[in-house]
Amino acid sequence: MLGLICLASFLVIEHAAFAANTKKSAPDLGPTMRFVVVRSSAPGCEPTCPEWISAEGSIEAGTPALFKRTLKGLGGRKLPVVVDSPGGNVEAALALGRLLRKNKLDIAVGKTQFTGCQPDAKDCKEKDGKGARYFGNAYADGAICNSACPLMFAGGIRRVVGQWAHLGVHQITTTYIRTKLQYRTTYRVVRGKKKILSKKIVGRKNAGSYKTYEMSKSVEKRLAAYLNEMGVGQAVLETMKNTPASTIQQLTPYDMLQTKLVTSLDAVDLLTAATLCNTDPVAANCREIPAPAGDVVAYAKPAPAAPAEPETVHRADIGDMRFALVRGRSFLCDPNCPEWISAEGMISAQTPERLRQLLDTIGDRRLPVVINSPGGDVLGALAAGKLIRERKLDVAVARTDFIGCEPDKADCTAEDGVYVGLTIDASGECGAACPIMLAGGVRRLVGPRAQLTVHSMGLEQRVKTYLKDMAVGPGLLVAMRSVPASRHRQLEPEMMLKVGLTTGLESADEFTGPTICKSEPMPENCRVVSTSEVQADAPVKL
């Protein structure tokens, strides 16, 4: 019997959707992640400034396609990614991580504060003619990379999370969706047997769904393979499995470093600081934009005034060195956080006495000095260095960022004389006479992202005797002699170590990092404050 017979059949199938949600009910993770290329608006960096990709918002299924489009528009330029995300779709996060690794991009957890045009503004022409659409500054304070975001983060080549940013994980939520399909099947009967000619879906209907927070073996195997592919330890996966989906387990810098989830304990400044464009060669994400016609003055960098005497360098745009007591603040160390002395500005004849006055206020406590200075008076640097050695203090080159208020502000009053802040290597500098002051430290650190420069300054015999007393080799003086006073030479970390100017290649975090107070024995610059004080002052923990 030959003939065509049309039948309708129904089948219920299931497929799984993976997400790393923050609540058992589907949460509102806010706007979808958007990608924006940003140029630094740091004063004085033009015409060559760093640029980066700002990635902020939740990760959804279509996010990798948006990222691909952004990368295509860069024409092969390798810009670091600054991410701030509550998480989202796991499959998309894995795809984003692989895109990062394929294109050999760095990543940092951070936010971008835009100046001028905002990403959601329409028809904004404020920056037209400036060579870039968006300008801004990257910062770590309060930035997050939670839930599925760490899977994306793992794909970066260099991966950094500053002490004021947060990275957290928890269990993956697997949602199984039932779908009812209606088919139209066409067949014919040949010798009593059905022979199917075609089968077509003619209807689709949602038949319900259910969730599970238990990671299946297949999902666990895929995630383990991905982390292994990215060079990240499996302990990250174990923490994900053991943390309920309704909470977030914030990973400590030490844990992230141990599992190789981060490549260093630096912050977002490592990838976005304006000083990246002052190195030779400049960082890959620096781009020069010639000043537009009629706007040359706006891009011109002020030249330092000629020194009145060979042993002194003056900079009118920077004030005399001021000293301030600073305490770090982080949920990683409260109530027992490190403290240090911030020394920022030009070294003057009054610098040694100002340092002595501050040291008298802290008695016998030995706090490290975190210095950020372009140089100044050589005699002042010699005296300050001798005072530092006399008090047996350590010194590191870094910038101190103050939280709440700046010591120079008239309306800023430090509680009990102590300010709150954090140190950033990437913007720290120590030039001209500053290395002389640095040489007085017992332990002396200049991180790989801080800058130390030298040139000839006069008073050579006095400097030579001083450096010998500080057990710094003659190679430093030779390096100084080789550069005219009108120029400067940046010393490499290995060179500083070789001549004995530094005692190690570590950054300022060795003295000021939030986890140092958990070590045994505890460093002398750690101080316990009352629990009530911490609760009153501590920032909100995300």
Side-chain angles (χ1 to χ4, degrees):
M1 182 177 67
L2 300 176
L4 296 177
I5 302 175
C6 296
L7 297 176
S9 62
F10 298 88
L11 178 68
V12 176
I13 66 170
E14 292 182 347
H15 65 276
F18 303 102
N21 292 332
T22 55
K23 294 181 182 179
K24 290 187 179 181
S25 57
D28 179 11
L29 296 180
T32 302
M33 183 174 284
R34 54 108 182 98
F35 299 96
V36 176
V37 177
V38 187
R39 183 174 178 83
S40 174
S41 59
C45 78
E46 296 291 0
T48 305
C49 295
E51 297 180 346
W52 62 89
I53 300 169
S54 168
E56 299 193 8
S58 62
I59 300 170
E60 297 185 8
T63 303
L66 296 176
F67 189 40
K68 282 183 180 179
R69 189 183 310 166
T70 301
L71 295 178
K72 186 176 180 180
L74 291 174
R77 291 187 65 214
K78 296 186 186 304
L79 300 187
V81 175
V82 177
V83 66
D84 178 48
S85 173
N89 186 290
V90 172
E91 295 285 357
L94 296 175
L96 288 168
R98 288 195 168 98
L99 281 171
L100 285 166
R101 186 58 59 92
K102 178 182 178 182
N103 290 276
K104 299 179 180 178
L105 304 182
D106 300 326
I107 190 168
V109 178
K111 293 174 177 281
T112 298
Q113 182 178 20
F114 292 89
T115 57
C117 293
Q118 303 296 308
D120 54 354
K122 295 182 179 179
D123 302 323
C124 180
K125 299 181 179 180
E126 182 176 343
K127 298 296 183 181
D128 285 1
K130 298 292 186 181
R133 177 69 171 167
Y134 299 104
F135 290 76
N137 294 294
Y139 63 99
D141 192 16
I144 62 172
C145 181
N146 288 340
S147 197
C149 176
L151 295 172
M152 168 190 175
F153 179 84
I157 300 298
R158 286 188 295 172
R159 307 178 292 275
V160 294
V161 182
Q163 61 175 309
W164 302 104
H166 306 273
L167 185 146
V169 298
H170 61 181
Q171 291 171 343
I172 288 176
T173 303
T174 305
T175 303
Y176 288 94
I177 303 171
R178 293 188 178 95
T179 304
K180 193 174 188 179
L181 302 178
Q182 184 178 15
Y183 296 90
R184 176 177 290 121
T185 304
T186 304
Y187 65 90
R188 67 181 178 179
V189 178
V190 180
R191 295 175 183 175
K193 295 183 179 180
K194 292 180 181 178
K195 182 178 180 181
I196 296 176
L197 301 176
S198 66
K199 188 175 182 180
K200 183 179 179 182
I201 297 175
V202 295
R204 187 185 298 269
K205 187 177 181 181
N206 191 338
S209 63
Y210 68 93
K211 295 179 180 179
T212 178
Y213 303 99
E214 227 175 279
M215 188 180 294
S216 68
K217 292 296 183 183
S218 61
V219 173
E220 182 177 350
K221 186 177 180 180
R222 286 181 57 206
L223 293 182
Y226 171 81
L227 293 174
N228 185 60
E229 175 188 344
M230 299 302 163
V232 176
Q234 296 299 308
V236 174
L237 182 57
E238 290 302 314
T239 305
M240 291 176 66
K241 289 167 53 182
N242 296 330
T243 304
S246 58
T247 64
I248 286 285
Q249 176 63 52
Q250 300 287 349
L251 301 184
T252 68
Y254 176 80
D255 289 338
M256 288 187 279
L257 196 60
Q258 287 294 102
T259 59
K260 298 182 180 179
L261 184 57
V262 298
T263 54
S264 71
L265 294 179
D266 295 284
V268 65
D269 279 14
L270 176 71
L271 309 178
T272 62
T275 52
L276 293 172
C277 303
N278 298 334
T279 59
D280 186 17
V282 299
N285 61 316
C286 292
R287 183 166 68 101
E288 181 178 0
I289 299 179
D295 196 28
V296 176
V297 176
Y299 280 10
K301 294 184 180 180
E309 298 178 9
E311 67 268 18
T312 306
V313 176
H314 296 287
R315 281 274 298 274
D317 58 330
I318 298 179
D320 283 355
M321 181 170 284
R322 57 112 178 94
F323 297 95
L325 292 179
V326 190
R327 178 179 176 84
R329 178 183 293 169
S330 169
F331 71 91
L332 298 173
C333 64
D334 284 332
N336 189 5
C337 290
E339 296 182 344
W340 64 90
I341 298 169
S342 167
E344 302 214 0
M346 294 292 296
I347 300 170
S348 68
Q350 290 74 42
T351 295
E353 183 56 31
R354 289 173 181 166
L355 176 57
R356 189 182 300 277
Q357 290 174 359
L358 183 139
L359 293 175
D360 288 343
T361 67
I362 62 175
D364 295 333
R365 293 190 71 205
R366 289 202 296 244
L367 300 184
V369 178
V370 176
I371 190 169
N372 182 36
S373 172
D377 186 80
V378 176
L379 291 175
L382 289 167
K386 289 176 182 177
L387 178 58
I388 288 172
R389 182 59 61 91
E390 175 188 320
R391 297 296 182 96
K392 299 179 181 179
L393 307 181
D394 299 326
V395 184
V397 176
R399 189 186 88 228
T400 296
D401 266 12
F402 292 89
I403 298 172
C405 66
E406 296 275 348
D408 296 333
K409 304 296 182 182
D411 58 347
C412 180
T413 303
E415 187 172 346
D416 296 327
V418 181
Y419 297 90
V420 178
L422 69 158
T423 59
I424 300 176
D425 283 13
S427 301
E429 66 169 326
C430 184
C434 175
I436 295 174
M437 184 171 168
L438 170 69
V442 176
R443 287 190 296 166
R444 306 175 294 277
L445 303 179
V446 181
R449 303 309 301 177
Q451 287 191 340
L452 187 141
T453 58
V454 297
H455 60 61
S456 57
M457 294 175 293
L459 296 177
E460 187 172 300
Q461 190 56 47
R462 297 186 65 169
V463 172
K464 180 179 180 180
T465 302
Y466 166 85
L467 293 177
K468 184 177 180 180
D469 292 342
M470 300 300 163
V472 177
L476 179 60
L477 190 58
V478 172
M480 290 177 174
R481 287 175 186 159
S482 66
V483 186
S486 59
R487 302 180 63 186
H488 66 265
R489 173 185 173 185
Q490 182 173 336
L491 297 189
E492 296 296 324
E494 292 77 11
M495 173 67 171
M496 289 183 273
L497 196 61
K498 182 178 179 180
V499 301
L501 180 59
T502 57
T503 57
L505 298 177
E506 300 90 349
S507 73
D509 282 350
E510 184 76 9
F511 301 148
T512 63
T515 58
I516 67 167
C517 298
K518 299 183 184 300
S519 60
E520 293 290 344
M522 187 171 64
E524 189 175 345
N525 64 312
C526 295
R527 181 171 66 93
V528 178
V529 298
S530 66
T531 305
S532 59
E533 186 180 344
V534 171
Q535 291 174 343
D537 294 341
V540 177
K541 179 181 174 182
L542 299 180

